[in-house]
Amino acid sequence: MDHAVAVVGPTEEAKDLVREAGKLAAGVDADLTLLHVTTEEEYNDRREELEQVSNYEASYSISQAMEGARNYAADIGREVLEGVDVEWEARGALGDRGETIVKEANRIDADHVFLSGRKRSPTGKALFGDATQRVILDFDDPVTVYTV
């Protein structure tokens, strides 16, 4: 492993995963990218909330959403990777979670992806889709999934 991506999320399990990914990357002298993906639905919800504020005249742009996602990933990195001897960077992206994780991992030439997932029945996956399943199927290198 030369370069890994750890997907950052709001749960304690996701934070634990980032820390473990950092330790593993440090152990093999690999670089680590922390990635937080904001979905288009989350972006649209936030934009609509801001537009409803009567004194808010500026728009909420895609670049602002991506910067917010990057800042979130960086905050988690500072919180959970303190004391872990690993080189890391934070990235933010906007789009479909599974598709965007694969695209970003390929863009930076990562050879491992770490992400947390939810246990779902096969029916639930078929009906609602599953970002974790998409990454496992579409990413050509190893994927480590921490499920809760």
Side-chain angles (χ1 to χ4, degrees), residues 70-145:
R70 190 200 69 74
N71 288 337
Y72 180 80
D75 288 345
I76 297 298
R78 284 188 290 274
E79 177 185 337
V80 303
L81 293 174
E82 183 176 341
V84 178
D85 188 22
V86 64
E87 292 289 325
W88 63 272
E89 70 167 329
R91 294 177 70 98
L94 177 68
D96 173 79
R97 195 165 266 123
E99 181 182 320
T100 303
I101 292 167
V102 172
K103 184 173 76 174
E104 290 297 316
N106 286 329
R107 181 178 302 178
I108 62 172
D109 200 26
D111 52 9
H112 200 115
V113 172
F114 295 87
L115 70 157
S116 61
R118 298 180 302 206
K119 289 185 181 176
R120 275 195 177 160
S121 69
T123 303
K125 288 179 185 176
L127 290 174
F128 303 112
D130 184 57
T132 303
Q133 181 180 27
R134 178 115 188 226
V135 174
I136 291 169
L137 294 174
D138 292 350
F139 188 65
D140 292 332
D141 289 304
V143 176
T144 299
V145 180

Side-chain angles (χ1 to χ4, degrees), residues 25-44:
V28 295
D29 198 29
D31 293 327
L32 180 64
T33 296
L34 305 182
L35 174 65
H36 180 71
V37 178
T38 298
T39 65
E40 298 218 10
E41 182 180 348
E42 292 166 336
Y43 165 72
N44 288 330

Side-chain angles (χ1 to χ4, degrees), residues 11-31:
T11 65
E12 287 303 314
E13 292 82 10
K15 290 178 182 180
D16 291 343
L17 179 80
V18 169
R19 183 161 180 77
E20 292 305 313
K23 289 178 184 178
L24 289 169
V28 295
D29 198 29
D31 293 327

Side-chain angles (χ1 to χ4, degrees), residues 32-59:
L32 180 64
T33 296
L34 305 182
L35 174 65
H36 180 71
V37 178
T38 298
T39 65
E40 298 218 10
E41 182 180 348
E42 292 166 336
Y43 165 72
N44 288 330
D45 289 347
R46 177 76 172 143
R47 192 184 73 227
E48 288 173 12
E49 287 173 11
L50 290 173
E51 287 174 354
Q52 291 178 4
V53 175
S54 61
N55 293 335
Y56 190 78
E57 294 181 16
S59 64

